[in-house]
Amino acid sequence: MAKQFDEILDECITRITLQSKTVEECLALYPEHLLDLEPHLRLVARTAQAYSFTPSATVKERGRQRLQA
């Protein structure tokens, strides 16, 4: 049974945001949906990049202390 577009989009979003896959890698998996998927995935990739951060060691330690308190 063929996957629905929503399922494919969700899978690709997961690959990009949690597995560090590229838009191109996702599009290669579903070339038949390239025109529909590409704009969504480009937006997801840009958003993930804009909101990615790594907390400093100080912030991590403060959070750990607050959690243990």
Side-chain angles (χ1 to χ4, degrees):
M1 184 170 155
K3 289 185 181 180
Q4 297 292 324
F5 178 78
D6 291 346
E7 293 174 295
I8 294 168
L9 180 60
D10 187 49
E11 181 181 316
C12 288
I13 289 171
T14 299
R15 289 175 185 269
I16 291 170
T17 59
L18 300 178
Q19 300 173 2
S20 300
K21 301 296 182 185
T22 66
V23 171
E24 289 73 21
E25 288 173 315
C26 288
L27 293 175
L29 295 172
Y30 301 101
E32 68 278 10
H33 294 286
L34 184 133
L35 294 177
D36 295 322
L37 276 176
E38 187 172 22
H40 297 289
L41 298 183
R42 297 269 177 225
L43 179 60
V44 166
R46 284 194 306 265
T47 303
Q49 182 181 15
Y51 287 97
S52 68
F53 70 95
T54 304
S56 68
T58 304
V59 171
K60 286 182 183 179
E61 183 58 30
R62 245 187 275 150
R64 189 176 294 113
Q65 289 172 357
R66 287 177 65 194
L67 182 63
Q68 292 174 347

